[in-house]
Amino acid sequence: MTRWAFWFLISSGPVVACEAVGQRAASDVEDAPEVYVSSEVVPLAQPFSILIEVCNETPVSEILVDAIMPAHQHGLNYTPKVTALDEGKFRIDDLLFHMPGLWELQVDVDFNGKLVSYTSEIALR
Amino acid sequence: MRLWVSVALVVLASAANAEVLLSEDEIEQTLSFGPWPPSLQPDPSNRVSNDASAIALGAALFNDPLLSVDGAFACASCHDPEQAFTTTEARALGRVLLDRNTPSLRNLAGLRWYGWGGKSDNLWAASLHPIIADEEMAHSKESLKAAISDSPYINDFEKTFGEIQKQDPELVLVNTAKALSAFLETIITEATQFDGFRDALERGDFVEAANYPEAAQRGLQLFLGRGNCVFCHNGPRFSNNEFHDAGVPYFLNEAEVDEGRFGGLNILLSSEFTLDGDWSDDPDKQGAWAVRGVRRSHSDFGMFRTPSLRGVAETAPYMHNGNFIDLEAVIRHYSEIDIERLHADGEDILAKLSLSEQEIADLISFLVTLSSKP
């Protein structure tokens, strides 16, 4: 129905010990556990949901999700709702990208007190 | 026979002259402005949405001064059905001169926000505010209940909502607003010349699409491209339904400004008439995620809801305060905008476009095709 194309810019690297689907999110931290983001086609200016999976031996129970538009210096108009599913999987609802262009999804994961930040770029048109 | 042949040749010749100017990418973007009209579901928060008798009652009440405490105005006094559900005044004249321009009430079903500052998240709440606003219809809940009880509408009201004497005055107010909302949901603009073009592109019928004037096509290209208009005016309604600073002066007088979204959120977040509240008829509270999750920000100050551009040529003057008398003035504003003076910080989208006279005319030609009246 919607025609907004999107893609994620991903960091390369082999998939280890995790059957996660979707695109791998990037992190500046070396050897950071893998995080995957998957979604249906992202609609413009309408709410949508994504799934995030954190591949770690001890499953994490909490993540923080936000997004910004780097070119326009603004973020989301609504706070996304994060629901923990089982085994390091999370469902994110109420995401809404209100403008076309490049969005940067930001995921902060708490690995036993060590916070690692991930980003995933989504181009919406 | 000979006549037929020459007619056919003329058609072919004119079709060969006209062409579709859009690139593949532009065509793809153009398709996202449709289809029109959109398919709409009844409003789950309003149990009389789509109900024929409620719609008829709402239509009658909309046109009746009964809804103001002293019979001074009807909704239709400001939202005149003969004038695309608005009037030509820059700012609405209620009991006093109001701060804002009267919006056209077309194509309102299913939006996320209502009002220039988004003070309502549903159409019945947006229909309720003017009934009790002191500067507008100035009813109290009690005076409204008495007025409806004594009116010729009492039978229709009770048929739809049950016995009025058993209803709290507040319930009568909400029910009245829900009948008005059921009516407003039915006001939808027709498909336009632009939609004919868009649908022809979708079918791959370039001969038909080429009938769309070239000036309008060039205007559309600017709208999608250098003009950046599509950043905010997108989707089938040509609006993202969010709040932006389009650089319109927002001083009410020397000392006061129109707070825009900032003030809208203050009203919304203290209102009992939201999709998250008890007056919603939807047990699942669909749509309530927006009022629950909406973020407040310093830059809400002086931001206004992006208006739909469907039928825009019929609703001058423009902007939240009616600041511009016609479409040309709006386009010249975007062309010459002084970005230093944008009050909402940080939104790096609008830029001085310095459009040529030809480009200004092209953008207007495009906007005019979003109306069914030529």
Side-chain angles (χ1 to χ4, degrees):
Chain A
M1 219 205 88
T2 44
R3 287 159 219 290
W4 305 101
F6 77 103
W7 60 88
F8 294 91
L9 302 181
I10 51 166
S11 68
S12 53
V15 184
V16 226
C18 184
E19 286 160 33
V21 286
Q23 308 294 330
R24 187 168 163 194
S27 174
D28 289 341
V29 176
E30 235 177 280
D31 297 325
E34 292 170 16
V35 168
Y36 290 84
V37 181
S38 61
S39 83
E40 306 274 295
V41 174
V42 176
L44 178 62
Q46 296 294 335
F48 65 96
S49 305
I50 60 174
L51 286 175
I52 293 181
E53 181 162 1
V54 181
C55 302
N56 196 38
E57 278 175 18
T58 37
V60 296
S61 55
E62 220 183 301
I63 62 172
L64 282 176
V65 179
D66 214 330
I68 57 161
M69 262 195 123
H72 304 313
Q73 307 154 33
H74 66 66
L76 296 171
N77 291 346
Y78 306 90
T79 304
K81 194 173 127 207
V82 180
T83 313
L85 309 173
D86 52 347
E87 290 171 29
K89 292 198 187 81
F90 299 86
R91 188 189 152 90
I92 323 299
D93 295 305
D94 308 344
L95 278 163
L96 187 144
F97 291 172
H98 62 278
M99 279 200 184
L102 192 71
W103 285 83
E104 185 181 277
L105 192 75
Q106 303 173 329
V107 186
D108 290 342
V109 187
D110 186 344
F111 294 100
N112 288 326
K114 185 175 172 239
L115 203 67
V116 180
S117 298
Y118 296 82
T119 59
S120 202
E121 290 187 335
I122 304 177
L124 183 71
R125 33 160 306 199
Chain B
M1 187 65 210
R2 214 193 262 150
L3 186 73
W4 280 111
V5 172
S6 57
V7 169
L9 278 179
V10 171
V11 171
L12 271 181
S14 63
N17 281 335
E19 54 177 338
V20 173
L21 306 176
L22 274 55
S23 70
E24 233 172 88
D25 199 55
E26 288 165 338
I27 289 174
E28 189 76 4
Q29 289 190 65
T30 301
L31 297 185
S32 71
F33 296 124
W36 191 265
S39 60
L40 291 168
Q41 315 306 321
D43 175 355
S45 72
N46 178 359
R47 67 195 181 290
V48 300
S49 169
N50 219 14
D51 173 292
S53 21
I55 293 169
L57 174 63
L61 290 174
F62 186 83
N63 288 294
D64 200 314
L66 180 82
L67 289 194
S68 55
V69 68
D70 51 0
F73 328 84
C75 308
S77 311
C78 294
H79 302 285
D80 181 1
E82 301 295 314
Q83 300 184 63
F85 292 89
T86 175
T87 54
T88 53
E89 278 131 20
R91 284 159 57 182
L93 191 59
R95 286 169 205 280
V96 294
L97 184 64
L98 302 185
D99 296 339
R100 293 183 180 164
N101 179 256
T102 306
S104 164
L105 299 184
R106 302 173 303 171
N107 305 324
L108 292 183
L111 299 186
R112 192 158 52 238
W113 303 113
Y114 296 90
W116 285 105
K119 69 180 169 203
S120 309
D121 68 350
N122 67 80
L123 190 48
W124 45 271
S127 306
L128 186 152
H129 285 296
I131 304 176
I132 50 171
D134 286 343
E135 320 80 58
E136 297 182 52
M137 330 285 276
H139 258 302
S140 64
K141 294 173 274 197
E142 292 74 19
S143 66
L144 178 73
K145 180 172 172 179
I148 297 218
S149 301
D150 295 343
S151 77
Y153 304 112
I154 184 64
N155 289 338
D156 291 338
F157 187 92
E158 294 197 327
K159 202 174 115 205
T160 304
F161 297 112
E163 210 181 316
I164 198 166
Q165 288 319 324
K166 292 194 177 140
Q167 295 173 36
D168 213 59
E170 188 150 28
L171 178 57
V172 174
L173 174 64
V174 173
N175 283 340
T176 303
K178 284 180 178 167
L180 288 165
S181 175
F183 162 61
L184 294 180
E185 283 176 341
T186 64
I187 307 172
I188 298 165
T189 55
E190 288 158 24
T192 66
Q193 193 181 14
F194 170 79
D195 297 302
F197 173 63
R198 182 246 167 232
D199 293 351
L201 291 176
E202 188 170 51
R203 293 192 305 271
D205 184 348
F206 289 91
V207 178
E208 173 65 31
N211 290 327
Y212 187 62
E214 289 198 0
Q217 293 192 51
R218 289 192 304 267
L220 169 59
Q221 287 177 309
L222 270 168
F223 192 87
L224 298 170
R226 191 164 81 84
N228 274 342
C229 316
V230 74
F231 270 88
C232 306
H233 297 283
N234 49 47
R237 287 188 174 83
F238 292 85
S239 166
N240 61 357
N241 231 292
E242 289 294 320
F243 301 82
H244 296 280
D245 173 10
V248 179
Y250 68 138
F251 280 91
L252 295 170
N253 53 48
E254 274 176 20
E256 279 177 294
V257 294
D258 186 328
E259 295 179 344
R261 181 55 166 159
F262 182 83
L265 279 173
N266 284 341
I267 298 173
L268 176 86
L269 296 173
S270 60
S271 169
E272 51 181 326
F273 305 115
T274 70
L275 293 181
D276 202 22
D278 293 340
W279 293 106
S280 164
D281 298 326
D282 179 8
D284 298 333
K285 298 262 191 285
Q286 290 167 65
W289 66 272
V291 59
R292 285 180 198 145
V294 69
R295 284 179 171 167
R296 308 212 66 169
S297 132
H298 172 67
S299 60
D300 293 336
F301 223 83
M303 290 226 201
F304 296 90
R305 197 179 98 220
T306 309
S308 167
L309 298 181
R310 288 217 168 247
V312 72
E314 299 148 50
T315 62
Y318 299 107
M319 305 300 190
H320 71 272
N321 52 5
N323 203 52
F324 300 121
I325 56 161
D326 56 18
L327 285 176
E328 182 178 332
V330 175
I331 305 294
R332 287 193 190 281
H333 162 74
Y334 281 115
S335 180
E336 289 148 26
I337 200 164
D338 179 359
I339 51 167
E340 296 298 314
R341 283 176 50 190
L342 290 186
H343 34 84
D345 39 37
E347 252 198 348
D348 227 354
I349 296 146
L350 290 170
K352 187 171 170 177
L353 296 171
S354 305
L355 301 168
S356 69
E357 291 302 308
Q358 167 87 60
E359 289 174 316
I360 291 172
D362 288 346
L363 264 171
I364 295 170
S365 302
F366 162 65
L367 291 175
V368 167
T369 69
L370 303 179
S371 289
S372 50
K373 292 184 203 120

